[in-house]
Amino acid sequence: VAIIGASGYTGGELLRMLLNHSEVEITDITSRQYDGTPAHKIHPHIRDSGLVFKNKAPDELDADVVFTATPHGASMKIVPQILETGAKVVDLSGDYRYRDTAVYEKWYGMEHTDKEHKGVFGLPELYRDEIKKADLVANPGCFPTGAILSSYPLYASLLIAKFFVLS
């Protein structure tokens, strides 16, 4: 596994979780700003990992799975390059959460430059089978996850539809 943008808060939390996962080997953590800096200097809670931030291009990563923990707008510029290497991608930004790029452009106020690749919405409670087969998984984020998982039982049992029909 490699993490692009591992120096930020989200990348650091992902790094912490993956370091504690017995089935994961982290090959690369990237950061342009902290190139050559040991991980524990940026994330003091991560000790004895031996990991050092490197400023590597996406095609230089040696990983089966690459997490992109980058700001919105950055992932869409590098995900196509990662997918060309054959690695699977989990994008933690909002860049691939919408099937319709026009919706992304409306909400994020920027052009979506990768119209070719579509991410599977990474909510395993609803899309487990699709995630298993996907090359690109779009992490849904905390607010959508909370809203969807709390309201889905009402939708699935048709209570929401009944409510709106009766109103």
Side-chain angles (χ1 to χ4, degrees):
V1 168
I3 305 171
I4 295 177
S7 62
Y9 175 77
T10 302
E13 283 301 297
L14 175 62
L15 179 58
R16 180 187 57 77
M17 287 186 271
L18 292 177
L19 283 169
N20 289 312
H21 195 296
S22 63
E23 301 293 319
V24 172
E25 176 191 355
I26 300 172
T27 58
D28 287 298
I29 57 172
T30 75
S31 171
R32 291 187 311 256
Q33 181 180 2
Y34 297 110
D35 185 26
T37 304
H40 73 273
K41 295 284 185 179
I42 305 305
H43 302 298
H45 61 285
I46 295 174
R47 293 280 179 196
D48 303 323
S49 72
L51 293 169
V52 175
F53 291 104
K54 298 291 182 192
N55 183 14
K56 287 188 171 185
D59 61 352
E60 296 176 317
L61 301 172
D62 181 25
D64 299 317
V65 177
V66 177
F67 288 86
T68 53
T70 57
H72 308 307
S75 290
M76 71 176 105
K77 296 174 185 168
I78 58 175
V79 164
Q81 297 167 43
I82 300 167
L83 291 171
E84 285 180 18
T85 70
K88 295 185 181 293
V89 176
V90 178
D91 178 37
L92 303 182
S93 80
D95 287 1
Y96 293 94
R97 290 180 186 158
Y98 297 100
R99 289 186 182 132
D100 183 351
T101 55
V103 174
Y104 172 89
E105 291 171 352
K106 176 184 175 185
W107 286 102
Y108 286 92
M110 65 178 80
E111 179 185 0
H112 198 294
T113 57
D114 181 16
K115 310 263 192 233
E116 179 182 345
H117 300 100
K118 302 294 180 196
V120 171
F121 199 66
L123 199 59
E125 292 82 357
L126 302 181
Y127 300 106
R128 184 173 309 279
D129 293 336
E130 293 90 338
I131 292 168
K132 289 178 184 178
K133 297 178 273 185
D135 290 330
L136 173 56
V137 175
N139 181 35
C142 56
F143 293 135
T145 298
I148 292 168
L149 293 181
S150 63
S151 62
Y152 187 76
L154 296 172
Y155 168 79
S157 66
L158 301 175
L159 289 174
I160 290 177
K162 290 175 187 174
F163 172 78
F164 286 110
V165 171
L166 295 174
S167 297

